[in-house]
Amino acid sequence: MLGCLVVGNMMMLPLAVGAEPEVAVTTEPAKTEAPPTEAEIKQWIEQLDSDKFLVRESATQKLTTAKANAIPLLSDSIPTGSLEKAFRCIHVLRNFAIGEDIEMEREATAKLALIAATENDRIAAYAEDVLKQIAPIKQEQAIRILSGLGVRFSSYSPQQAALQFNVLSGPGIIIDSSYRGTADDLYYLQHLGFIQDVQISNDNVTAEWFAQIAKMPKVRLMTIKDGPVNVAMLRELEPILPQLEAIRLYYIDVDASIASLAAKLQNATYVEFYGLPLTKADEQRILAALPPAAKIGVKFRSGGFLGVSGNSSTANGPDPRGTCYIRNVSQDSGAYKAGLRAGDIVTEAVGTEVKSFQHLIDLLKDKKVGETVDLTAMRRGRTIKLNVVLGKWPLRPDYGP
């Protein structure tokens, strides 16, 4: 239906002879329409059973624009009338469930789930179908809202991941200092059914954040770095700990009491505890609590990050290029800033001859962030001396050796 276009909102009064001009009078803006009363909502719901199609349609449209107080009335009315009335009530709840109001979305989605679980086969089946139909809509909405708030979605290539031996990876999200939202906004995480990896590095993280993450259906990989994180906050993750295949905890304030949570990592094969304030006794207590598979893949380190990858051997035996050949150096690392480059062969670290790349790792695993380590390397037959300041381990897309 076409509407009218009103040009301007001022009414000019006529001038009396010899009088001063009158000030223009502005018409008042339209008042905000008051939300419908409970009586009105109940009346519209009853009209869904009308024998007149236009009455039913009008009532449906009015209910769709109602507020949150309509949701319980709609849900309670479903068993009290015709099948069409029930279907129309579910249709209105569907619209609330994909709206922009978080509280209305939560309540409407919960009501639809309850209806889908009822004993009325046709109504329950319809509600279940509606939930399935809106799932992709809610996922796209969640991606849009969370992206707008600064959550970053990581790229993922299944083919590339399959080529990496013994490495775990998957589509993920990163919640770092770019995130501008609240704990309530993280409600949308539960609609991201395709996300497998969650990485958090944020000084504003709270227990409520972890409670929202624990509702995500498919998470199997997790990194938690920095921020005011303690064991009490991590307990919010208990519902998903048994499904995690890998977890990395970096530079957070936990103690030996985390052993009770470590015991729940039933499917974990890769666990990193880097830069945590743990004593050797704490580490032993945690190690004892871990399930057998996690025990094999657990790593405790003081947290100093060199920033290199390398190899000590090939499929045919020792690497002919050297016992500690450097394949790659991260450009954000202390090693790169000190001058170490891919192709170098590290021969000595902290005054000890390096016998393999794993030996280099072992020599540095107890070094902390900010410590300086002395390296000697060979580059095209020339010896170079380096002083490397160790940094923090970064968030990384892959989990594994």
Side-chain angles (χ1 to χ4, degrees):
M1 181 176 68
L2 296 177
C4 299
L5 176 65
V6 178
V7 181
N9 65 348
M10 295 193 300
M11 177 175 65
M12 303 301 294
L13 300 179
L15 295 177
V17 177
E20 293 293 326
E22 296 283 351
V23 177
V25 178
T26 305
T27 57
E28 292 185 5
K31 295 181 180 179
T32 304
E33 189 174 344
T37 64
E38 183 175 321
E40 289 175 317
I41 293 172
K42 287 181 176 179
Q43 180 183 16
W44 296 337
I45 291 174
E46 288 305 312
Q47 289 174 350
L48 297 179
D49 257 341
S50 172
D51 57 0
K52 296 181 174 59
F53 173 77
L54 291 179
V55 172
R56 299 196 300 272
E57 280 292 289
S58 175
T60 303
Q61 291 300 319
K62 290 174 181 176
L63 286 167
T64 300
T65 61
K67 301 297 180 183
N69 58 341
I71 294 176
L73 296 174
L74 286 162
S75 178
D76 293 343
S77 299
I78 286 176
T80 65
S82 65
L83 194 61
E84 180 175 355
K85 177 183 177 182
F87 284 2
R88 284 181 178 270
C89 286
I90 291 173
H91 173 76
V92 176
L93 289 173
R94 170 198 178 277
N95 288 341
F96 289 150
I98 57 174
E100 296 289 335
D101 187 298
I102 291 180
E103 292 305 321
M104 290 181 68
E105 182 192 346
R106 283 176 174 170
E107 188 177 1
T109 303
K111 293 295 186 184
L112 287 172
L114 287 174
I115 296 165
T118 63
E119 296 180 358
N120 189 315
D121 291 344
R122 294 189 66 182
I123 294 175
Y126 183 63
E128 187 174 355
D129 285 343
V130 165
L131 286 171
K132 289 178 181 177
Q133 291 166 11
I134 66 176
I137 300 173
K138 290 164 82 71
Q139 179 173 288
E140 290 299 319
Q141 180 188 51
I143 293 172
R144 173 176 54 80
I145 291 173
L146 292 171
S147 295
L149 292 172
V151 173
R152 293 191 288 128
F153 288 75
S154 63
S155 58
Y156 170 67
S157 171
Q159 293 79 11
Q160 182 180 1
L163 297 174
Q164 301 180 56
F165 176 73
N166 206 25
V167 167
L168 299 171
S169 59
I173 57 169
I174 299 171
I175 308 175
D176 58 15
S177 58
S178 301
Y179 180 62
R180 302 178 299 278
T182 65
D184 278 346
D185 294 320
L186 294 177
Y187 158 79
Y188 291 104
L189 290 175
Q190 64 189 278
H191 299 319
L192 303 178
F194 66 100
I195 291 297
Q196 300 174 21
D197 181 12
V198 175
Q199 303 198 27
I200 303 172
S201 179
N202 191 298
D203 289 339
N204 297 316
V205 64
T206 65
E208 288 75 16
W209 287 32
F210 293 128
Q212 300 286 18
I213 291 168
K215 298 174 186 175
M216 299 180 72
K218 296 291 179 65
V219 175
R220 61 188 183 90
L221 312 169
M222 183 169 291
T223 301
I224 301 170
K225 176 187 173 187
D226 294 325
V229 180
N230 55 41
V231 176
M233 292 168 61
L234 292 176
R235 293 195 189 284
E236 297 292 343
L237 293 172
E238 285 195 59
I240 62 171
L241 291 180
Q243 72 194 46
L244 294 183
E245 297 174 29
I247 184 168
R248 301 186 293 215
L249 302 182
Y250 295 170
Y251 315 107
I252 59 177
D253 187 18
V254 299
D255 54 30
S257 65
I258 199 174
S260 61
L261 297 180
K264 299 179 183 296
L265 298 171
Q266 300 163 8
N267 289 298
T269 58
Y270 190 75
V271 180
E272 289 182 348
F273 293 143
Y274 290 2
L276 308 185
L278 301 173
T279 65
K280 292 298 180 183
D282 293 338
E283 292 178 6
Q284 289 303 313
R285 180 178 167 186
I286 294 167
L287 185 61
L290 285 168
K295 273 187 174 70
I296 298 171
V298 67
K299 296 179 181 179
F300 293 98
R301 294 184 185 171
S302 293
F305 176 65
L306 180 62
V308 303
S309 60
N311 27 309
S312 305
S313 62
T314 67
N316 299 319
D319 194 326
R321 295 171 294 192
T323 56
C324 186
Y325 179 80
I326 302 301
R327 289 189 290 109
N328 184 60
V329 183
S330 171
Q331 292 191 16
D332 294 328
S333 68
Y336 190 90
K337 293 173 184 175
L340 195 65
R341 296 293 182 266
D344 291 347
I345 300 168
V346 177
T347 58
E348 186 177 300
V350 293
T352 302
E353 180 185 355
V354 176
K355 299 177 181 179
S356 67
F357 186 74
Q358 182 59 49
H359 188 210
L360 175 64
I361 293 172
D362 293 339
L363 289 171
L364 301 182
K365 69 179 182 180
D366 291 330
K367 301 298 181 182
K368 297 180 180 180
V369 176
E371 285 194 50
T372 300
V373 297
D374 299 329
L375 299 181
T376 301
M378 297 295 294
R379 178 180 300 164
R380 294 187 293 275
R382 181 168 56 92
T383 300
I384 57 175
K385 300 282 187 178
L386 305 169
N387 297 315
V388 180
V389 179
L390 301 178
K392 281 187 173 183
W393 282 79
L395 299 177
R396 310 187 309 286
D398 300 323
Y399 295 73

